[in-house]
Amino acid sequence: MIKSVRALAAAASLAVAAPAFAAGETPHIERQQWSFSGPFGQYDRAQLQRGFKVYKEVCASCHGVRLVAFRNLAEEGGPGFTEEEAKAIAADYTVVDGPNEDGDMFERPAVLADRFPSPFPNEQAARASNGGAYPPDFSLLAKARAAHRGFPWFVFDAFTQYQEQGADYIYALLTGYEEDPEGIEVPSGQYYNHSFLGGQFIGMAPPLSDELVEYTDGTPMTLDQYSRDVAAFMMWAAEPHLEARKKMGFRVMVFLIIFASLLYFTKQKLWRNVAH
Protein backbone atom coordinates (compact mmCIF):
# COMPACT_ATOMS: atom_id res chain seq x y z
CA MET A 1 0.00 0.00 0.00
CA ILE A 2 2.82 2.40 0.92
CA LYS A 3 4.58 1.65 -2.36
CA SER A 4 1.41 2.37 -4.31
CA VAL A 5 0.97 5.70 -2.53
CA ARG A 6 4.58 6.64 -3.27
CA ALA A 7 4.13 5.68 -6.92
CA LEU A 8 0.94 7.74 -7.21
CA ALA A 9 2.74 10.65 -5.58
CA ALA A 10 5.25 10.45 -8.41
CA ALA A 11 2.46 10.68 -10.93
CA ALA A 12 2.69 14.44 -11.47
CA SER A 13 5.44 13.50 -13.82
CA LEU A 14 7.57 16.30 -15.20
CA ALA A 15 5.02 19.09 -14.93
CA VAL A 16 7.09 22.23 -14.52
CA ALA A 17 6.69 25.73 -13.21
CA ALA A 18 8.54 28.60 -14.84
CA PRO A 19 12.17 27.63 -15.34
CA ALA A 20 14.45 28.85 -12.58
CA PHE A 21 17.67 28.66 -14.57
CA ALA A 22 19.08 31.71 -16.22
CA ALA A 23 18.77 31.87 -19.98
CA GLY A 24 21.09 29.39 -21.63
CA GLU A 25 22.11 27.86 -18.28
CA THR A 26 21.73 24.15 -17.66
CA PRO A 27 22.49 22.05 -14.58
CA HIS A 28 25.80 20.26 -14.37
CA ILE A 29 25.28 16.50 -14.79
CA GLU A 30 28.08 14.39 -13.34
CA ARG A 31 29.38 11.61 -15.54
CA GLN A 32 28.82 8.19 -13.95
CA GLN A 33 30.54 4.86 -14.36
CA TRP A 34 28.46 2.24 -16.16
CA SER A 35 29.22 -1.33 -17.15
CA PHE A 36 27.94 -0.54 -20.65
CA SER A 37 30.29 2.41 -21.20
CA GLY A 38 33.01 2.40 -23.84
CA PRO A 39 33.52 0.37 -27.01
CA PHE A 40 33.57 -2.95 -25.11
CA GLY A 41 30.89 -2.18 -22.53
CA GLN A 42 28.22 -4.70 -21.64
CA TYR A 43 25.06 -4.61 -19.58
CA ASP A 44 25.20 -5.98 -16.07
CA ARG A 45 22.46 -8.66 -16.09
CA ALA A 46 21.92 -8.51 -12.34
CA GLN A 47 21.64 -4.72 -12.48
CA LEU A 48 19.09 -4.88 -15.29
CA GLN A 49 16.98 -7.33 -13.30
CA ARG A 50 17.13 -5.10 -10.24
CA GLY A 51 16.26 -2.09 -12.40
CA PHE A 52 13.28 -3.92 -13.81
CA LYS A 53 12.14 -4.71 -10.27
CA VAL A 54 12.35 -1.02 -9.34
CA TYR A 55 10.46 -0.09 -12.49
CA LYS A 56 7.74 -2.69 -11.92
CA GLU A 57 7.19 -1.91 -8.23
CA VAL A 58 7.55 1.87 -8.30
CA CYS A 59 7.49 3.41 -11.76
CA ALA A 60 5.06 1.21 -13.71
CA SER A 61 1.95 2.70 -12.10
CA CYS A 62 2.61 5.94 -14.04
CA HIS A 63 5.18 5.22 -16.79
CA GLY A 64 4.88 2.65 -19.56
CA VAL A 65 7.49 0.92 -21.71
CA ARG A 66 5.24 0.45 -24.73
CA LEU A 67 8.04 -0.46 -27.16
CA VAL A 68 9.36 -3.32 -25.01
CA ALA A 69 7.88 -6.81 -25.47
CA PHE A 70 7.90 -9.42 -22.75
CA ARG A 71 10.00 -11.69 -24.95
CA ASN A 72 12.75 -9.04 -24.92
CA LEU A 73 13.35 -9.83 -21.25
CA ALA A 74 14.67 -13.26 -22.24
CA GLU A 75 16.57 -12.25 -25.38
CA GLU A 76 20.34 -12.13 -25.72
CA GLY A 77 21.78 -8.83 -24.57
CA GLY A 78 18.90 -8.21 -22.17
CA PRO A 79 18.24 -8.69 -18.46
CA GLY A 80 18.93 -12.42 -18.70
CA PHE A 81 15.57 -13.75 -17.58
CA THR A 82 14.79 -17.29 -18.67
CA GLU A 83 11.89 -17.86 -21.03
CA GLU A 84 9.84 -19.33 -18.19
CA GLU A 85 10.57 -16.32 -16.00
CA ALA A 86 9.56 -13.96 -18.83
CA LYS A 87 6.32 -15.92 -19.27
CA ALA A 88 5.60 -15.62 -15.56
CA ILE A 89 6.19 -11.86 -15.71
CA ALA A 90 3.88 -11.57 -18.72
CA ALA A 91 1.16 -13.51 -16.94
CA ASP A 92 0.96 -10.78 -14.30
CA TYR A 93 -0.29 -8.34 -16.94
CA THR A 94 -3.59 -8.07 -18.81
CA VAL A 95 -3.81 -6.84 -22.38
CA VAL A 96 -6.72 -5.90 -24.62
CA ASP A 97 -7.18 -8.17 -27.64
CA GLY A 98 -9.78 -8.75 -30.31
CA PRO A 99 -12.18 -8.34 -31.81
CA ASN A 100 -13.64 -11.78 -31.09
CA GLU A 101 -16.28 -13.56 -33.15
CA ASP A 102 -18.91 -11.17 -31.81
CA GLY A 103 -16.86 -8.14 -32.78
CA ASP A 104 -16.02 -7.22 -29.20
CA MET A 105 -12.67 -6.45 -27.67
CA PHE A 106 -11.68 -8.54 -24.69
CA GLU A 107 -8.97 -8.83 -22.06
CA ARG A 108 -6.58 -11.73 -21.65
CA PRO A 109 -3.34 -12.53 -19.81
CA ALA A 110 -0.29 -11.23 -21.68
CA VAL A 111 2.06 -13.61 -23.52
CA LEU A 112 5.67 -13.23 -24.62
CA ALA A 113 4.71 -11.70 -27.96
CA ASP A 114 2.83 -8.83 -26.27
CA ARG A 115 4.33 -5.51 -25.35
CA PHE A 116 4.05 -4.02 -21.90
CA PRO A 117 0.60 -2.41 -21.61
CA SER A 118 0.33 1.25 -20.73
CA PRO A 119 -0.81 2.09 -17.19
CA PHE A 120 -3.45 4.38 -18.74
CA PRO A 121 -5.88 3.76 -21.62
CA ASN A 122 -5.01 7.06 -23.32
CA GLU A 123 -3.17 10.36 -22.86
CA GLN A 124 -6.25 12.17 -21.58
CA ALA A 125 -6.72 9.60 -18.81
CA ALA A 126 -3.04 9.87 -17.91
CA ARG A 127 -3.24 13.65 -17.62
CA ALA A 128 -6.48 13.49 -15.63
CA SER A 129 -4.81 11.16 -13.13
CA ASN A 130 -1.67 13.28 -12.82
CA GLY A 131 -2.87 16.83 -12.37
CA GLY A 132 -2.59 17.64 -16.07
CA ALA A 133 0.95 16.26 -16.49
CA TYR A 134 1.64 13.46 -18.94
CA PRO A 135 4.06 10.83 -17.57
CA PRO A 136 6.58 10.11 -20.35
CA ASP A 137 7.00 6.60 -21.66
CA PHE A 138 10.26 4.99 -20.55
CA SER A 139 10.97 3.11 -23.79
CA LEU A 140 13.29 5.70 -25.34
CA LEU A 141 13.72 8.16 -22.48
CA ALA A 142 17.37 7.26 -21.81
CA LYS A 143 18.22 8.29 -25.38
CA ALA A 144 15.84 11.23 -25.65
CA ARG A 145 16.59 13.05 -22.39
CA ALA A 146 20.14 14.23 -21.81
CA ALA A 147 21.94 17.42 -20.91
CA HIS A 148 23.43 19.09 -23.97
CA ARG A 149 27.21 19.18 -23.93
CA GLY A 150 28.46 22.12 -25.94
CA PHE A 151 31.70 22.66 -27.81
CA PRO A 152 34.29 21.25 -27.44
CA TRP A 153 32.88 18.46 -25.26
CA PHE A 154 30.70 16.88 -27.94
CA VAL A 155 33.83 16.53 -30.10
CA PHE A 156 35.61 14.64 -27.33
CA ASP A 157 32.48 12.51 -26.83
CA ALA A 158 32.69 11.32 -30.43
CA PHE A 159 36.24 10.06 -29.90
CA THR A 160 35.65 8.58 -26.45
CA GLN A 161 32.30 7.08 -27.53
CA TYR A 162 30.53 8.66 -24.60
CA GLN A 163 26.86 7.80 -25.17
CA GLU A 164 25.55 7.53 -21.62
CA GLN A 165 24.32 11.13 -21.22
CA GLY A 166 20.74 9.91 -20.85
CA ALA A 167 21.51 7.40 -18.13
CA ASP A 168 23.64 10.00 -16.35
CA TYR A 169 20.78 12.48 -16.45
CA ILE A 170 18.18 9.99 -15.17
CA TYR A 171 20.45 9.08 -12.26
CA ALA A 172 21.12 12.76 -11.52
CA LEU A 173 17.41 13.58 -11.64
CA LEU A 174 16.39 10.76 -9.29
CA THR A 175 19.07 11.73 -6.78
CA GLY A 176 18.75 15.49 -7.27
CA TYR A 177 15.81 16.24 -4.99
CA GLU A 178 16.52 18.63 -2.12
CA GLU A 179 14.67 20.36 0.65
CA ASP A 180 13.48 23.78 -0.48
CA PRO A 181 16.61 25.98 -0.49
CA GLU A 182 16.58 29.13 1.58
CA GLY A 183 15.55 32.14 -0.43
CA ILE A 184 13.84 30.10 -3.18
CA GLU A 185 10.06 29.84 -3.19
CA VAL A 186 8.97 26.50 -4.61
CA PRO A 187 5.48 26.67 -6.18
CA SER A 188 2.70 24.60 -4.66
CA GLY A 189 2.65 21.07 -6.03
CA GLN A 190 6.25 21.35 -7.25
CA TYR A 191 9.51 19.96 -5.85
CA TYR A 192 13.02 21.36 -5.95
CA ASN A 193 15.46 19.30 -8.02
CA HIS A 194 18.85 20.81 -8.87
CA SER A 195 19.35 18.43 -11.81
CA PHE A 196 16.06 18.95 -13.63
CA LEU A 197 16.68 20.29 -17.13
CA GLY A 198 13.30 22.02 -17.14
CA GLY A 199 14.27 24.52 -14.47
CA GLN A 200 14.76 23.23 -10.91
CA PHE A 201 11.02 22.91 -10.12
CA ILE A 202 9.50 19.56 -11.06
CA GLY A 203 5.98 18.22 -10.63
CA MET A 204 7.06 14.65 -9.90
CA ALA A 205 7.43 13.90 -6.23
CA PRO A 206 10.61 12.03 -5.20
CA PRO A 207 9.73 8.49 -6.36
CA LEU A 208 12.55 6.60 -4.60
CA SER A 209 13.88 6.36 -1.08
CA ASP A 210 16.02 3.98 0.95
CA GLU A 211 14.55 0.56 1.72
CA LEU A 212 11.68 1.06 -0.73
CA VAL A 213 12.29 -2.00 -2.94
CA GLU A 214 13.53 -5.27 -1.49
CA TYR A 215 16.65 -6.73 -3.09
CA THR A 216 17.37 -10.38 -2.44
CA ASP A 217 20.92 -10.51 -3.80
CA GLY A 218 22.55 -8.50 -1.02
CA THR A 219 22.78 -5.29 -3.04
CA PRO A 220 22.37 -2.16 -0.88
CA MET A 221 18.77 -0.97 -0.82
CA THR A 222 19.55 2.73 -1.09
CA LEU A 223 18.29 5.64 -3.15
CA ASP A 224 21.62 5.80 -4.95
CA GLN A 225 21.55 2.11 -5.91
CA TYR A 226 17.89 2.17 -6.97
CA SER A 227 18.58 5.18 -9.18
CA ARG A 228 21.56 3.51 -10.84
CA ASP A 229 19.67 0.28 -11.43
CA VAL A 230 16.54 1.79 -12.94
CA ALA A 231 18.65 4.16 -15.09
CA ALA A 232 20.54 1.12 -16.45
CA PHE A 233 17.24 -0.66 -17.14
CA MET A 234 15.95 2.38 -19.02
CA MET A 235 19.17 2.51 -21.04
CA TRP A 236 18.62 -1.11 -22.05
CA ALA A 237 14.97 -0.41 -22.93
CA ALA A 238 16.12 2.43 -25.19
CA GLU A 239 18.97 0.46 -26.77
CA PRO A 240 18.43 -3.31 -26.32
CA HIS A 241 20.95 -4.21 -29.04
CA LEU A 242 23.79 -2.11 -27.65
CA GLU A 243 26.10 -5.09 -27.11
CA ALA A 244 25.52 -6.48 -30.62
CA ARG A 245 26.13 -3.02 -32.10
CA LYS A 246 29.42 -2.63 -30.26
CA LYS A 247 30.58 -6.11 -31.27
CA MET A 248 29.75 -5.40 -34.90
CA GLY A 249 31.47 -2.02 -34.71
CA PHE A 250 34.64 -3.63 -33.36
CA ARG A 251 34.64 -6.22 -36.15
CA VAL A 252 34.15 -3.52 -38.76
CA MET A 253 37.05 -1.49 -37.38
CA VAL A 254 39.34 -4.56 -37.39
CA PHE A 255 38.28 -5.32 -40.95
CA LEU A 256 38.95 -1.75 -42.09
CA ILE A 257 42.40 -1.73 -40.47
CA ILE A 258 43.35 -5.04 -42.10
CA PHE A 259 41.87 -3.99 -45.45
CA ALA A 260 43.71 -0.65 -45.38
CA SER A 261 46.96 -2.42 -44.51
CA LEU A 262 46.56 -4.85 -47.40
CA LEU A 263 45.86 -2.00 -49.81
CA TYR A 264 48.94 -0.15 -48.58
CA PHE A 265 51.30 -3.11 -48.96
CA THR A 266 49.77 -4.03 -52.33
CA LYS A 267 50.33 -0.51 -53.57
CA GLN A 268 53.94 -0.59 -52.30
CA LYS A 269 54.60 -3.84 -54.14
CA LEU A 270 52.98 -2.84 -57.43
CA TRP A 271 54.71 0.53 -57.62
CA ARG A 272 58.05 -0.27 -56.00
CA ASN A 273 59.96 -0.15 -59.35
CA VAL A 274 58.17 2.87 -60.74
CA ALA A 275 59.98 6.17 -60.44
CA HIS A 276 57.99 8.98 -58.88
Side-chain angles (χ1 to χ4, degrees):
M1 179 64 182
I2 294 177
K3 293 179 182 178
S4 298
V5 172
R6 289 179 183 273
L8 290 175
S13 151
L14 303 184
V16 193
F21 291 116
E25 183 182 354
T26 58
H28 175 67
I29 305 300
E30 292 286 346
R31 184 169 177 175
Q32 304 297 317
Q33 296 296 320
W34 304 100
S35 65
F36 46 84
S37 299
F40 305 107
Q42 295 183 329
Y43 289 120
D44 181 332
R45 310 295 175 218
Q47 183 175 55
L48 292 185
Q49 292 190 18
R50 293 193 304 268
F52 172 71
K53 184 177 179 67
V54 174
Y55 164 74
K56 183 179 180 181
E57 296 188 12
V58 180
C59 311
S61 61
C62 299
H63 302 272
V65 280
R66 61 184 178 82
L67 299 181
V68 178
F70 292 102
R71 70 172 186 276
N72 299 143
L73 298 175
E75 290 180 345
E76 184 178 357
F81 289 107
T82 66
E83 184 173 323
E84 292 304 315
E85 289 173 332
K87 287 181 179 178
I89 293 171
D92 289 338
Y93 291 81
T94 300
V95 297
V96 177
D97 201 351
N100 57 20
E101 294 179 353
D102 298 323
D104 299 323
M105 304 300 288
F106 60 93
E107 293 185 344
R108 60 167 175 78
V111 297
L112 291 180
D114 293 314
R115 293 181 177 180
F116 279 83
S118 171
F120 303 102
N122 50 61
E123 180 177 340
Q124 289 73 18
R127 291 187 182 278
S129 299
N130 294 284
Y134 183 53
D137 185 83
F138 276 4
S139 301
L140 301 175
L141 205 64
K143 302 295 288 186
R145 300 285 174 87
H148 175 68
R149 287 163 61 87
F151 182 84
W153 302 112
F154 71 86
V155 178
F156 297 144
D157 293 345
F159 286 98
T160 61
Q161 298 189 28
Y162 173 48
Q163 303 171 5
E164 295 79 48
Q165 297 97 325
D168 288 344
Y169 172 59
I170 292 169
Y171 168 81
L173 180 71
L174 293 174
T175 58
Y177 288 91
E178 295 180 15
E179 294 295 331
D180 298 354
E182 185 177 352
I184 295 180
E185 182 178 353
V186 180
S188 177
Q190 304 288 307
Y191 301 86
Y192 184 82
N193 189 308
H194 64 258
S195 296
F196 184 44
L197 293 178
Q200 293 183 323
F201 303 148
I202 183 171
M204 181 175 70
L208 299 173
S209 61
D210 293 350
E211 305 292 328
L212 180 62
V213 178
E214 182 180 1
Y215 284 165
T216 58
D217 61 355
T219 302
M221 295 184 291
T222 62
L223 167 63
D224 182 87
Q225 190 64 51
Y226 293 148
S227 301
R228 292 183 185 279
D229 293 344
V230 76
F233 172 75
M234 291 170 64
M235 183 67 182
W236 167 78
E239 194 167 4
H241 303 297
L242 175 144
E243 293 181 6
R245 174 178 62 80
K246 289 187 176 183
K247 290 178 181 178
M248 179 59 68
F250 175 72
R251 292 168 184 166
V252 169
M253 292 304 297
V254 171
F255 168 78
L256 291 176
I257 292 173
I258 294 175
F259 184 63
S261 300
L262 291 175
L263 287 178
Y264 173 77
F265 289 117
T266 299
K267 180 259 186 185
Q268 290 292 93
K269 183 174 182 179
L270 290 176
W271 294 87
R272 69 182 186 277
N273 296 323
V274 178
H276 294 284

